């Protein structure tokens, strides 16, 4: 099995984990895909030797008692008996014995694979829990696995808790004790009444009274509390190197709580249900908290690519984070998101069919329904399973095909589930009512068309039933995967029956080709499909079956788990590599200390997303009045203080035009560099420019047309026309739509107006900017610095530089400017300026620019639309001349003593800046601290 979608296509190098001994091939595969294929081969060959191991473990012949009422010795795979009670950290320190050769895996799920029923003070009866999650995880044998979860029983007393802990320990299960109130609020309430229906597109409960809101809040609190209780137990049993695999919607807070305990823990989270469209998730009052908590995991998995896509979408639209092909990025931290379609332990089902008890059941069933075709439904009695719709479709089929009435029977196994939730109670009544009506309508004295069972079946009975079935009907309205469809296929090697499968089950993506896919809401279509399936010719059945059988045989639960854990191990290594590329957080204290100890400081500040307030991810802040960037109100005071300090020079270096900077900064005593340094003024003086006279701006009108076109078609996007550039911005628009539009816009530009022009197209995270070629903040900084030195008549070198910005990649050259080492491709200016230490001698080298094809292009034309006054001011300003601005002959303007340089990127992970400030709020705090 390979993971699909978000990660499988990437070609990143996956490093082996130290101590990761389940995969120790000497040949390191070059790509992720290669590795996955290799591992799959390894697992296959491992399988050939597996029977011996299973025999040793007593798990041979697939005779495990899934569905047995009592677990005896060695009764099911995946859970191995252990002699002792699981250790705590304290016990562990005394343990000196050998470590297991398999990797330790802590599987944390709401429900343990066994449910307990209390028989006396110290005795419990253990029973396998029913459900797809349990079935799938019981097939996982490659790890040294321990389960942590709720045993489905309230045990308030110590004696009972000790006894149950001991009994479960034999099954390598560790209980989390939830009291009745928590179970009611967390499990019945928040999990099954809110998250479950919402994730299956059934919406939130309607709030018709204030009390409901209160209930919602208390259920959410209980949810968090329960998650914390799970985290406590995991933490108690965690050993370094363990993989912690959290399961399902019950435990969305668990990754966050675990990482709080220990951020080195390897944490994966897998959702067994669908993850709905972000528009559905958006309705949930706790939408943000839940997403953020899940994102604390290292790897987040879903059954299908669609669910993964929805999750990433929710993170980008609701949290405003960046979705990448690998997952979701937040401040350089990547949470990998991928699809890992689950499977079943197919051999267990296939082998079970040979067992005498299964053969007996089959014989019995065949005799019982000798003269009828058997149709089968196996579901938990849950509204997502579409049981009423299925039965109604069957009724319609009988109604329209009278010749089939005495020749077909529908066996519906409806396993009671979540019986304390009122919705489920209502459903039970509804189903009974429909079944009664149809049996009354089409039944005879000796036979009824529907056999409805409100109970679960024992494993062998279930296998037999699957094997004798002619047509299986899976009509889920939504279903994460649906393992019943897999199990049915696995048991059909001889009969080759037909699977009718809902297109809304995750399984439709894997078994769709061999099944008859239906829309369960379309009763007419399902009824017609029943007829088609019952009369399908043998060769078509054979072909369809073979296709699905192959899939079920090869995509097993073992592979699913092995792939997930292997990906998780890799993700950790890759994250470590990536983290090394992210600048460390700015050490505020050091920056402030150095500031206070220096005498001639230079502070260079970007404006947009550096000195402005953060944008609401949901775009709610994007009112028209706010489209223009505005100085963060909490910066007014401290900036005033700093800019009035004679030992400090502040430059706001922005892409914005002069008017915007004037509006926000006129009242401060500082320098303003607009349009990436093309215009410069001290707030006490007029604007000057370094714009070359013959700057070619002919392209502007045609680019403007393209930008206008896209602005009209992208709600809440806007564009700004500046003197030397034009910027289309979609930060308030729907991010995903904005990105698609941006791609389209670029295509329009490249094939149209800019195909031959000499200009730069710069892509931001939410913008596209077209600017005159060669304009960048780094290219401008030498001239700015020269002018400042000259204008201030500086006698002493600048001994401290703080440069903060959320700059476009192209403008990051400003960070490099002050670094002692030369950038890899030094600009002529930088070459001339930087000597071996970070000392600087400003110069006024002629500006030579390069076109996008790399050719030299000194072909500037007249600039566009400058007023006469502006021209005069501009003419008065000459670029700084080296002779005029050097401090003394030969002495440097910069003397940063190596470390007195603090370049900080704001909210971007890959950067050539030395340090990171996560948000503009951090900038606000820093500036305030400096001013203090
Ligand atoms: O524990 P319960 O509340 O009684 O519910 C049983 C389980 O139901 C859900 O199963 C899902 O997982 C299956 C395997 O991945 C998948 O095939 C199916 O489509 C899902 O509905 C639930 O997600 C589990 O947590 C429950 O334990
Ligand atoms: O009487 C029954 C009926 C069902 N199952 C098991 O319950 C699981 C149902 O999983 P599925 O993924 O189809 O749906 P879920 O119930 O998890 O939503 C399957 O493994 C079935 O074999 C069972 O053990 N006994």
């Amino acid at each position: 099995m390979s993971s699909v979608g978000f990660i499988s296509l990437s070609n990143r190098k996956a490093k082996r984990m130290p101590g990761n001994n389940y995969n120790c091939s000497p040949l390191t595969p070059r790509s992720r895909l290669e590795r996955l294929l290799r591992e799959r081969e390894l697992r296959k060959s491992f399988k050939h030797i597996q029977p011996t191991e299973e025999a040793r473990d007593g798990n041979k012949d697939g005779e495990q008692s899934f569905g047995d009422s009592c677990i005896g010795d060695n009764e099911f795979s995946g859970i191995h008996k252990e002699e002792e009670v699981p250790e705590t950290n304290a016990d562990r320190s005394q343990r000196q014995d050998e470590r297991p050769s398999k990797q330790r895996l802590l599987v944390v799920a709401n429900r343990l694979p066994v449910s307990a029923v209390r028989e006396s003070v110290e005795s419990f009866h253990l029973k396998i829990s029913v459900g797809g999650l349990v079935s799938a995880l019981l097939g996982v044998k490659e790890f040294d696995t321990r389960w942590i979860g709720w045993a489905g029983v309230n045990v308030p007393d110590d004696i009972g808790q000790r006894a149950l802990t001991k009994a479960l320990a034999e099954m390598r299960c560790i209980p989390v004790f939830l009291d009745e109130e928590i179970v009611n609020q967390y499990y019945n309430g928040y999990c099954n009444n809110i998250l479950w229906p919402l994730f299956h597109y059934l919406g939130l409960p309607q709030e018709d009274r204030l009390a409901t809101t209160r209930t919602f809040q208390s259920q959410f609190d209980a949810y968090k509390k329960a998650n914390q209780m799970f985290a406590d137990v995991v933490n108690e049993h965690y050993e370094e190197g363990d993989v912690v695999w959290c399961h399902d919607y019950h435990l969305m807070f668990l990754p966050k709580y675990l990482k709080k305990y220990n951020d080195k823990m390897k944490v994966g989270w897998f959702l067994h249900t669908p993850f709905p469209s972000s528009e559905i998730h958006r309705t949930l009052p706790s939408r943000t908290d839940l997403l953020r908590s899940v994102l604390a995991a290292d790897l987040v998995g879903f059954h299908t690519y669609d669910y993964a896509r929805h999750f990433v979408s929710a993170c980008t639209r609701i949290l405003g984070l960046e979705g990448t092909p690998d997952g979701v990025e937040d401040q350089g931290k990547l949470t990998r998101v991928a699809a890992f379609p689950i499977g079943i332990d197919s051999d267990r089902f296939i082998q079970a069919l040979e067992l005498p008890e299964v053969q007996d059941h089959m014989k019995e069933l065949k005799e019982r329904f000798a003269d009828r075709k058997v149709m089968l439904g196996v579901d938990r009695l849950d509204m997502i399973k579409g049981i009423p719709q299925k039965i109604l479709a069957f009724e319609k089929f009988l109604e329209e095909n009278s010749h089939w009435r005495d020749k077909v029977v529908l066996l519906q196994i409806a396993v009671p589930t979540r019986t304390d939730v009122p919705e489920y109670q209502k459903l039970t009544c509804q189903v009974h009512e429909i079944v009664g009506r149809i049996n009354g309508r089409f039944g005879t004295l000796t036979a009824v068309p529907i056999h409805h069972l409100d109970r679960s079946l024992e494993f062998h009975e279930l296998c037999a039933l699957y094997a004798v079935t002619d047509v299986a009907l899976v009509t889920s309205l939504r279903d994460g995967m649906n393992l019943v469809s897999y199990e049915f296929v696995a048991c059909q090697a001889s009969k080759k029956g037909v699977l009718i499968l809902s297109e809304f089950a995750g399984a439709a993506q894997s078994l769709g080709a061999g099944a008859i896919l239906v829309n369960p809401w379309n009763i007419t279509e399902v009824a017609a499909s029943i007829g088609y399936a019952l009369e399908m010719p043998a060769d078509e059945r054979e072909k369809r079956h073979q296709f699905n059988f192959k899939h079920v045989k090869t995509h097993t639960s073992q592979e699913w788990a092995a792939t997930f854990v292997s990906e998780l191990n890799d993700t950790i290594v890759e994250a470590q590599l990536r983290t090394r590329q992210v600048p460390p957080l700015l050490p505020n204290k050091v920056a402030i200390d150095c500031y206070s100890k220096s005498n001639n400081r230079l502070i260079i500040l970007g404006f947009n997303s550096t000195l402005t307030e953060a944008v609401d991810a949901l775009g709610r802040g994007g009112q028209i009045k706010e489209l223009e960037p505005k100085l963060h109100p909490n910066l007014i005071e401290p900036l005033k203080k700093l800019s009035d300090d004679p030992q400090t020079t502040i430059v706001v270096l922005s892409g914005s035009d002069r008017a915007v900077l004037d509006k926000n900064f006129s009242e401060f005593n500082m320098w303003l560099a607009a349009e990436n340094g093309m215009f410069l003024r001290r707030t006490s003086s007029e604007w000057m420019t370094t714009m070359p006279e013959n700057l070619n701006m002919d392209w502007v009108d045609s680019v403007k047309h393209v930008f206008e076109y896209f602005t009209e078609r992208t709600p809440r996007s806007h564009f700004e026309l500046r003197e030397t550039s034009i910027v289309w911005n979609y930060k308030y628009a729907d991010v995903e739509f904005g990105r698609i539009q941006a791609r389209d816009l670029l295509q329009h530009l490249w094939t149209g107006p800019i195909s031959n022009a000499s200009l730069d197209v710069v892509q931001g995270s939410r913008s596209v900017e077209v600017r005159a070629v060669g304009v960048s903040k780094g290219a401008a900084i030498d001239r700015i610095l020269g002018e400042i030195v000259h204008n201030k008549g500086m006698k002493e070198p600048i001994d401290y530089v703080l440069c903060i910005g959320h700059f476009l990649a192209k403008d990051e050259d400003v960070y490099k400017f002050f670094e002692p080492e030369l950038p890899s491709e030094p600009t002529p200016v930088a070459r001339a300026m930087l000597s071996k230490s970070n000392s600087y001698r400003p110069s006024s080298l002629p500006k030579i620019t390069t076109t996008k094809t790399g050719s030299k292009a000194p072909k500037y034309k007249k600039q566009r639309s400058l007023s006469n006054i502006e021209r005069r001011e501009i003419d008065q300003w000459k670029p700084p001349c080296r002779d005029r601005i050097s401090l003394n002959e030969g002495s440097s303007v910069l003397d940063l003593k190596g470390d007195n340089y603090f370049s900080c990127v704001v909210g971007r992970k890959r950067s050539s800046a030395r340090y990171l400030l996560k948000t503009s709020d951090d900038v606000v705090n820093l500036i305030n601290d400096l001013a203090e």
Side-chain angles (χ1 to χ4, degrees):
M1 178 199 296
S2 68
S3 62
V4 295
F6 284 84
I7 59 171
S8 59
L9 296 178
S10 73
N11 212 28
R12 231 170 310 94
K13 168 105 180 48
K15 287 246 172 138
R16 297 272 76 76
M17 288 294 287
N20 176 1
N21 49 13
Y22 66 93
N23 184 8
C24 48
S25 163
L27 298 166
T28 312
R30 280 193 309 277
S31 71
R32 173 175 293 270
L33 193 63
E34 224 179 282
R35 180 179 54 71
L36 288 168
L37 291 172
R38 167 89 57 85
E39 283 178 359
R40 193 172 164 171
E41 287 309 308
L42 280 176
R43 277 197 293 273
K44 263 195 207 156
S45 47
F46 175 67
K47 252 191 178 171
H48 295 307
I49 54 161
Q50 195 67 329
T52 337
E53 267 206 19
E54 289 197 343
R56 194 192 65 215
D57 292 348
N59 283 334
K60 58 179 184 292
D61 299 335
E63 61 194 8
Q64 298 88 342
S65 61
F66 188 88
D68 278 1
S69 57
C70 185
I71 297 172
D73 279 2
N74 307 322
E75 274 196 298
F76 53 70
S77 57
I79 302 186
H80 312 280
K81 278 198 74 172
E82 195 173 54
E83 294 306 313
E84 294 144 35
V85 179
E87 303 162 302
T88 63
N89 285 338
D91 303 332
R92 199 168 303 118
S93 60
Q94 293 172 12
R95 184 164 62 91
Q96 297 297 318
D97 59 352
E98 241 177 61
R99 293 185 61 79
S101 59
K102 291 174 174 178
Q103 187 171 32
R104 264 178 54 117
L105 174 66
L106 303 183
V107 170
V108 196
N110 169 64
R111 203 177 269 286
L112 285 173
V114 283
S115 304
V117 178
R118 195 164 193 168
E119 288 178 327
S120 67
V121 180
E122 286 192 73
S123 135
F124 289 86
H125 172 83
L126 301 182
K127 203 179 155 200
I128 296 184
S129 319
V130 173
L133 193 154
V134 170
S135 306
L137 284 168
L138 288 181
V140 176
K141 299 164 191 155
E142 291 180 34
F143 302 95
D144 177 20
T145 310
R146 277 146 182 84
W147 288 69
I148 296 177
W150 173 56
V153 63
N154 181 24
V155 189
D157 56 301
D158 283 353
I159 302 178
Q161 292 195 356
R162 269 201 301 275
L164 182 57
T165 304
K166 189 156 191 289
L168 288 171
E170 293 193 3
M171 302 298 157
R172 296 205 161 200
C173 291
I174 302 163
V176 177
F177 291 105
L178 305 173
D179 65 38
E180 252 168 37
E181 178 60 11
I182 286 272
V183 169
N184 195 30
Q185 299 271 328
Y186 142 80
Y187 177 67
N188 294 330
Y190 200 74
C191 292
N192 291 334
N193 201 30
I194 292 175
L195 291 181
W196 178 266
L198 189 80
F199 283 8
H200 290 88
Y201 290 80
L202 298 174
L204 289 171
Q206 299 289 322
E207 305 263 353
D208 52 3
R209 284 179 304 134
L210 193 58
T212 331
T213 317
R214 284 199 204 104
T215 315
F216 181 93
Q217 191 52 47
S218 62
Q219 288 177 348
F220 184 53
D221 292 343
Y223 181 82
K224 287 193 280 188
K225 189 171 168 198
N227 274 248
Q228 185 60 57
M229 292 164 81
F230 278 83
D232 294 346
V233 177
V234 174
N235 189 48
E236 195 186 332
H237 292 272
Y238 172 81
E239 283 183 22
E240 202 185 320
D242 286 357
V243 165
V244 185
W245 191 3
C246 314
H247 288 267
D248 237 353
Y249 59 99
H250 312 90
L251 300 176
M252 293 178 83
F253 270 88
L254 189 55
K256 177 175 149 185
Y257 292 159
L258 291 177
K259 289 283 184 172
K260 240 191 213 165
Y261 270 126
N262 179 351
D263 69 352
K264 299 273 178 309
M265 241 186 230
K266 294 178 197 168
V267 179
W269 182 80
F270 188 88
L271 184 66
H272 290 263
T273 70
F275 192 89
S277 145
S278 61
E279 284 304 301
I280 296 277
H281 184 78
R282 228 185 127 161
T283 59
L284 190 61
S286 41
R287 60 198 178 186
T288 309
D289 289 350
L290 287 171
L291 291 176
R292 286 221 173 267
S293 308
V294 168
L295 285 176
D298 300 292
L299 176 64
V300 172
F302 299 90
H303 282 313
T304 73
Y305 171 78
D306 282 337
Y307 307 157
R309 184 168 61 79
H310 288 154
F311 177 79
V312 173
S313 211
C315 294
T316 54
R317 285 158 184 245
I318 298 170
L319 303 180
L321 301 179
E322 200 179 323
T324 77
D326 285 338
V328 179
E329 270 196 42
D330 182 12
Q331 311 289 344
K333 189 222 175 243
L334 175 82
T335 304
R336 170 156 288 158
V337 179
F340 300 88
I342 204 170
I344 59 165
D345 184 358
S346 48
D347 286 347
R348 180 168 162 245
F349 284 85
I350 294 166
Q351 287 162 12
L353 297 181
E354 306 301 323
L355 299 172
E357 51 270 54
V358 177
Q359 294 281 337
D360 289 349
H361 283 306
M362 283 169 65
K363 190 162 167 273
E364 209 177 300
L365 287 165
K366 277 182 191 161
E367 281 168 13
R368 174 78 180 78
F369 300 113
D371 51 350
R372 291 186 185 223
K373 291 266 184 192
V374 176
M375 296 188 53
L376 176 67
V378 177
D379 309 272
R380 277 181 306 103
L381 191 42
D382 193 308
M383 39 278 181
I384 66 148
K385 300 290 180 181
I387 299 173
Q389 287 81 350
K390 172 174 7 192
I391 300 173
L392 290 175
F394 185 61
E395 179 183 25
K396 190 166 171 60
F397 170 74
L398 293 179
E399 192 178 85
E400 290 170 355
N401 299 278
S402 50
H403 60 287
W404 271 106
R405 285 182 197 163
D406 55 352
K407 294 194 185 73
V408 64
V409 62
L410 171 62
L411 309 182
Q412 176 63 48
I413 313 301
V415 182
T417 182
R418 307 168 193 178
T419 42
D420 294 335
V421 181
E423 290 301 314
Y424 287 77
Q425 294 160 1
K426 270 187 239 161
L427 178 70
T428 312
C429 299
Q430 189 195 359
V431 170
H432 287 176
E433 200 261 336
I434 303 173
V435 170
R437 185 173 56 71
I438 297 173
N439 278 345
R441 186 174 169 199
F442 295 111
T444 63
L445 277 179
T446 51
V448 286
I450 303 176
H451 286 236
H452 178 89
L453 260 66
D454 264 350
R455 67 171 178 89
S456 64
L457 293 186
E458 179 263 316
F459 177 64
H460 296 142
E461 281 177 326
L462 190 61
C463 290
L465 200 47
Y466 283 142
V468 302
T469 294
D470 294 283
V471 177
L473 254 180
V474 176
T475 55
S476 312
L477 305 179
R478 294 275 166 182
D479 214 335
M481 179 56 88
N482 191 281
L483 294 182
V484 162
S485 53
Y486 275 62
E487 294 166 4
F488 166 71
V489 170
C491 294
Q492 282 284 317
S494 48
K495 187 132 209 177
K496 300 178 176 63
V498 184
L499 171 66
I500 297 178
L501 178 60
S502 163
E503 62 189 63
F504 298 116
Q509 307 211 355
S510 39
L511 304 182
I516 300 178
L517 286 184
V518 290
N519 171 2
W521 296 97
N522 186 341
I523 305 286
T524 310
E525 187 196 358
V526 179
S529 301
I530 292 174
Y532 183 66
L534 287 171
E535 284 165 20
M536 187 182 284
D539 58 337
E540 185 179 345
R541 279 196 282 119
E542 164 92 31
K543 260 192 226 147
R544 285 176 181 265
H545 168 76
Q546 287 308 348
F547 186 92
N548 282 349
F549 189 71
K550 193 166 166 224
H551 184 91
V552 169
K553 274 280 288 173
T554 47
H555 295 71
T556 61
S557 49
Q558 291 94 315
E559 296 237 12
W560 166 72
T563 308
F564 187 92
V565 177
S566 157
E567 282 294 342
L568 180 52
N569 280 319
D570 281 0
T571 299
I572 307 281
V573 179
E574 287 165 8
Q576 284 161 353
L577 292 176
R578 201 177 302 106
T579 310
R580 270 178 234 143
Q581 292 160 8
V582 178
L585 287 180
L586 175 73
N588 280 25
K589 197 175 162 330
V590 179
I592 294 164
D593 276 359
C594 293
Y595 177 90
S596 56
K597 285 180 193 143
S598 47
N599 298 316
N600 189 10
R601 309 141 189 150
L602 175 66
I603 299 181
I604 302 166
L605 300 169
F607 181 30
N608 288 285
S609 306
T610 303
L611 304 179
T612 54
E613 274 181 292
V615 176
D616 181 324
L618 285 159
R620 291 188 296 205
Q623 307 297 306
I624 296 302
K625 64 179 169 40
E626 292 172 22
L627 290 182
E628 220 170 60
K630 216 170 111 215
L631 179 63
H632 198 300
N634 298 352
L635 280 170
I636 296 173
E637 276 311 303
L639 272 184
K640 211 162 189 61
K641 237 179 179 178
L642 287 178
S643 61
D644 285 340
D645 180 344
Q647 288 178 295
T648 302
T649 306
I650 299 184
V651 185
V652 172
L653 175 52
S654 168
S656 293
D657 64 19
R658 288 174 286 171
V660 172
L661 296 196
D662 281 342
K663 209 173 190 177
N664 285 280
F665 299 100
S666 291
E667 66 198 88
F668 299 98
N669 178 15
M670 55 170 62
W671 289 78
L672 304 180
E675 305 223 7
N676 299 311
M678 280 299 195
F679 298 95
L680 180 71
R681 85 166 172 122
R682 197 173 180 166
T683 41
S684 53
S685 312
E686 300 300 321
W687 283 103
M688 309 172 271
T689 187
T690 51
M691 251 174 73
E693 273 194 15
N694 55 352
L695 190 61
N696 183 352
M697 298 299 284
D698 288 353
W699 48 268
V700 168
D701 280 341
S702 42
V703 172
K704 195 178 123 194
H705 283 138
V706 177
F707 279 21
E708 272 168 354
Y709 177 91
F710 279 89
T711 303
E712 276 163 24
R713 281 156 187 78
T714 313
R716 295 157 80 87
S717 73
H718 64 285
F719 76 90
E720 280 173 65
L721 188 58
R722 301 166 179 170
E723 296 289 350
T724 55
S725 67
I726 174 165
V727 186
W728 181 66
N729 198 312
Y730 56 93
K731 73 175 165 194
Y732 297 111
D734 178 291
V735 190
E736 282 172 13
F737 185 57
R739 280 201 189 125
I740 294 167
Q741 292 290 78
R743 226 175 296 149
D744 226 13
L745 178 146
L746 284 171
Q747 218 151 34
H748 269 71
L749 286 179
W750 288 123
T751 52
I754 64 164
S755 51
N756 291 313
S758 107
L759 39 80
D760 282 324
V761 178
V762 190
Q763 256 185 290
S765 58
R766 309 270 161 99
S767 66
V768 177
E769 179 173 340
V770 182
R771 54 166 88 154
V773 78
V775 174
S776 79
K777 293 188 167 77
I781 194 68
D782 65 327
R783 297 188 297 272
I784 295 171
L785 197 49
E787 183 56 27
I788 292 172
V789 169
H790 169 69
N791 184 291
K792 281 193 142 183
M794 269 184 200
K795 297 276 180 306
E796 276 188 67
I798 293 169
D799 58 357
Y800 177 96
V801 173
L802 172 65
C803 177
I804 308 176
H806 176 84
F807 298 137
L808 293 169
K810 184 170 178 58
D811 292 319
E812 286 223 333
D813 50 1
V814 71
Y815 299 132
K816 291 191 194 146
F817 181 86
F818 297 94
E819 290 290 354
E821 291 92 30
L822 287 176
S824 51
E825 276 181 43
T827 61
V829 178
R831 247 199 314 269
M833 288 181 323
L834 293 159
S835 63
K836 52 187 179 320
S837 74
N838 39 352
S839 56
Y840 161 69
R841 294 180 199 87
S843 81
S844 59
L845 289 172
K847 220 169 116 216
I848 299 169
T849 53
T850 308
T851 62
K852 64 179 187 291
T853 54
S855 62
K856 306 284 181 220
K859 49 174 183 179
Y860 302 128
K861 284 194 184 162
K862 265 235 162 315
Q863 70 175 70
R864 209 176 37 81
S865 66
L866 282 181
S867 70
N868 284 339
I869 302 171
E870 283 169 329
R871 258 182 226 301
R872 218 176 312 126
E873 290 159 7
I874 287 158
D875 288 345
Q876 283 163 6
W877 190 56
K878 297 277 180 298
C881 151
R882 185 182 185 147
D883 295 342
R884 272 196 301 157
I885 57 176
S886 43
L887 297 177
N888 311 306
E889 192 54 46
S891 72
S892 307
V893 170
L894 283 176
D895 182 12
L896 301 181
K897 305 202 170 46
D899 284 342
N900 260 6
Y901 173 46
F902 298 87
S903 54
C904 307
V905 64
V906 183
R908 241 196 249 297
K909 46 276 153 184
R910 272 174 286 279
S911 168
S912 49
R914 289 185 174 192
Y915 303 106
L916 169 73
L917 284 167
K918 284 190 173 177
T919 64
S920 56
D921 287 341
D922 296 336
V923 180
V924 172
N925 292 339
L926 175 73
I927 301 282
N928 271 284
D929 290 349
L930 283 176
E932 290 290 303

